[in-house]
Amino acid sequence: DQVWLAPGQTFNFNRLIGPINARTGFKPGYVISGGSLATEDGGGICQVSTTAFRAALYAGLPITERHAHSHQVAYYGEPGLDAAVYAPSKNLRFVNDTGGPLLVQAEWDTKAERLQIHLFGRHGGRQVKVGQPQQSRVRPAGEPQFLADPDLPSGAVQRIDMPAPGASVSVTREIRDEQGRVRRETFRSSYRPWGGAFAVSPDDARLREQ
């Protein structure tokens, strides 16, 4: 929040967030790790990077680094519009090419569980059109995974993540500048099939069957 970018400056998500651990105030959450889910400090931070990515995407700013998740995450809505981060290997970067200063401002409502990223700067007459995600090579969802949660009583089950099909997804962006010149680019994502995940008590027999 309240980040100023000078003309030509790069927005570097991981650098702005800084170290992600309990000492810097991050709580444990689920992350995609090794083809499964695991609990790490700062799990869920990709909801913030995804929101920032979409703000830059629809503003027509050059996206210089963006990574898709390994599988579709249901609460992001349409596929192909997510941005995974995991320092230091995965980052989100975009450039302020507006010719003037750019303010990145965050607005959040914890009660409504809503986050918005606003970008304020020189408009420059550009027009941005983001197409609908196009899917190919769609594969059915796999089998669900089960993770032990020591806080759950025996026999309890809690859904963590919804299943999703595998697919190759492309999203095309068209940017028309004030001189009428058009630039088109395509953002591509490859998602593997995902059977979803459930948290269960540590004595659940399904943990031993995986």
Side-chain angles (χ1 to χ4, degrees):
D1 185 36
Q2 302 295 328
V3 172
W4 284 96
L5 297 178
Q9 185 177 356
T10 294
F11 175 93
N12 185 320
F13 185 89
N14 286 344
R15 182 181 297 169
L16 288 168
I17 295 297
I20 296 179
N21 52 54
R23 294 191 303 276
T24 54
F26 288 89
K27 295 183 179 296
Y30 287 105
V31 301
I32 302 173
S33 177
S36 181
L37 291 182
T39 303
E40 292 185 13
D41 292 336
I45 194 69
C46 296
Q47 297 180 57
V48 183
S49 57
T50 291
T51 307
F53 165 67
R54 292 181 181 182
L57 181 73
Y58 284 94
L61 300 177
I63 312 293
T64 55
E65 183 178 358
R66 172 261 173 184
H67 303 271
H69 288 77
S70 60
H71 68 257
Q72 296 185 46
V73 181
Y75 50 76
Y76 290 150
E78 291 185 307
L81 297 174
D82 58 306
V85 292
Y86 194 84
S89 58
K90 293 182 179 181
N91 199 355
L92 170 67
R93 305 174 201 256
F94 59 82
V95 178
N96 172 18
D97 70 339
T98 65
L102 184 73
L103 173 63
V104 182
Q105 192 172 62
E107 177 185 352
W108 58 92
D109 184 331
T110 53
K111 185 177 181 179
E113 297 184 341
R114 182 182 63 200
L115 169 70
Q116 295 177 298
I117 300 291
H118 306 282
L119 303 177
F120 297 95
R122 180 178 177 269
H123 185 272
R126 72 178 66 184
Q127 300 176 27
V128 182
K129 183 185 298 183
V130 178
Q132 291 295 312
Q134 302 298 312
Q135 299 193 48
S136 62
R137 298 183 61 246
V138 178
R139 289 95 68 200
E143 295 296 321
Q145 297 186 9
F146 299 92
L147 295 88
D149 185 338
D151 294 329
L152 289 179
S154 181
V157 179
Q158 180 179 339
R159 180 180 287 279
I160 301 171
D161 199 10
M162 296 292 290
S168 296
V169 180
S170 62
V171 176
T172 299
R173 179 174 71 167
E174 179 181 290
I175 304 171
R176 184 183 298 272
D177 67 18
E178 53 191 334
Q179 285 80 39
R181 295 171 298 193
V182 176
R183 185 174 80 252
R184 295 182 180 87
E185 55 189 339
T186 301
F187 297 85
R188 303 185 189 279
S189 307
S190 180
Y191 302 105
R192 61 178 177 79
W194 174 243
F198 294 89
V200 296
S201 58
D203 62 352
D204 195 293
R206 286 169 291 191
L207 294 170
R208 298 188 295 273
E209 296 170 358
Q210 297 186 118

